[in-house]
């Protein structure tokens, strides 16, 4: 469990209420469900941010392990709690856990118009690998359909 200023980040512990909160935060943050929350799969990873131990969930990062990499499928912080370092703490926790598991990299897709998330990932060492034109559906994203594929290789000692 990691404490950072007035909140903490912890791995998902099987709490159904926590999943419901994550689904609500996800639904408010994105025009489509970004994560399937397929928690019975051994490849799923989910970390939660809370304000206090056992308190309400204010953010999450979720992904799946594929071919030795963690692919981040969803990252979101409740609107009222943004710009307090919670998003960064979640990304750092996902990186630390992936390193501890011996994974070789983290990967993700992010909308090219999502300046906040791109700034966060870049600040944490992710680089842009390529731009994927028309990656997102027009129905959900309108004209903002392009995505960057970003990644963070995990090198020994970093
Ligand atoms: C992206 C998101 C998770 C960031 O969470 P957060 O808790 O507000 O982020 P933090 O407070 O940890 O900020 C970390 C860094 O991200 C960047 N950042 C965050 N919000 C930003 C904004 N509105 N504008 C520009 N940069 C921003 C900054 O570099 C910031 O560092 P700084 O505070 O030292 O300037 C949050 O805005 C969110 O939930 N957005 C909707 C969902 C989403 O877009 N998820 C990413 C999908 S790939």
């Amino acid at each position: 469990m990691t404490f950072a200023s007035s909140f903490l980040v912890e791995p998902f512990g099987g709490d159904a209420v926590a999943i419901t909160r994550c689904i609500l935060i996800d639904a408010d943050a994105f025009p489509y469900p970004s994560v399937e929350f397929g928690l019975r799969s051994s490849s799923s990873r989910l970390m939660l941010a809370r304000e206090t131990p056992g308190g309400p969930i204010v953010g999450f990062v979720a992904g799946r392990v594929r071919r030795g990499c963690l692919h981040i499928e969803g990252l979101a912080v409740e609107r009222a709690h943004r710009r307090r370092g919670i998003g960064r703490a979640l990304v750092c926790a996902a990186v630390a856990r992936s390193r501890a598991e011996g994974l070789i990299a983290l990967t993700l897709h992010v909308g090219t118009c999502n300046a906040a998330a791109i700034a966060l990932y870049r600040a944490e060492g992710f680089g842009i690998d390529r731009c994927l034109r028309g990656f997102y559906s027009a129905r959900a994203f309108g004209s903002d359909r392009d995505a960057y594929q970003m990644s963070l290789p995990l090198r020994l000692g970093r």
Side-chain angles (χ1 to χ4, degrees):
M1 196 178 284
T2 310
F3 285 85
S5 63
S6 60
F7 57 88
L8 58 113
V9 174
E10 65 189 25
F12 174 66
D15 169 8
V17 176
I19 290 294
T20 308
R21 279 296 309 153
C22 289
I23 291 170
L24 291 172
I25 294 170
D26 189 55
D28 183 52
F30 298 102
Y32 69 106
S34 72
V35 185
E36 279 182 27
F37 293 108
L39 297 167
R40 275 177 292 190
S41 159
S42 62
S43 64
S44 297
R45 302 289 181 274
L46 174 61
M47 306 204 70
L48 310 170
R50 297 183 194 265
E51 280 220 280
T52 52
I57 285 164
V58 295
F60 71 87
V61 59
R64 273 177 204 278
V65 176
R66 288 189 216 132
R67 294 191 286 274
C69 300
L70 177 69
H71 182 74
I72 294 180
E73 296 177 331
L75 166 72
V77 173
E78 205 171 59
R79 287 177 197 275
H81 295 276
R82 289 181 190 168
R83 297 313 300 258
R84 291 177 49 208
I86 297 174
R88 170 170 284 134
L90 285 162
V91 171
C92 289
V95 171
R97 181 171 174 180
S98 299
R99 195 187 302 286
E101 286 187 38
L103 302 183
I104 56 173
L106 287 86
T107 60
L108 59 91
H109 297 114
V110 57
T112 56
C113 297
N114 193 342
I118 293 166
L120 167 55
Y121 293 131
R122 291 201 82 128
E124 292 309 314
F126 285 75
I128 294 174
D129 299 323
R130 57 185 176 141
C131 182
L132 303 163
R133 302 278 175 213
F135 180 78
Y136 297 112
S137 81
R139 211 172 87 187
F141 283 83
S143 57
D144 297 334
R145 299 182 55 208
D146 299 344
Y148 290 129
Q149 180 180 302
M150 301 185 76
S151 64
L152 175 70
L154 298 178
R155 297 181 198 89
L156 284 176
R158 187 175 176 275

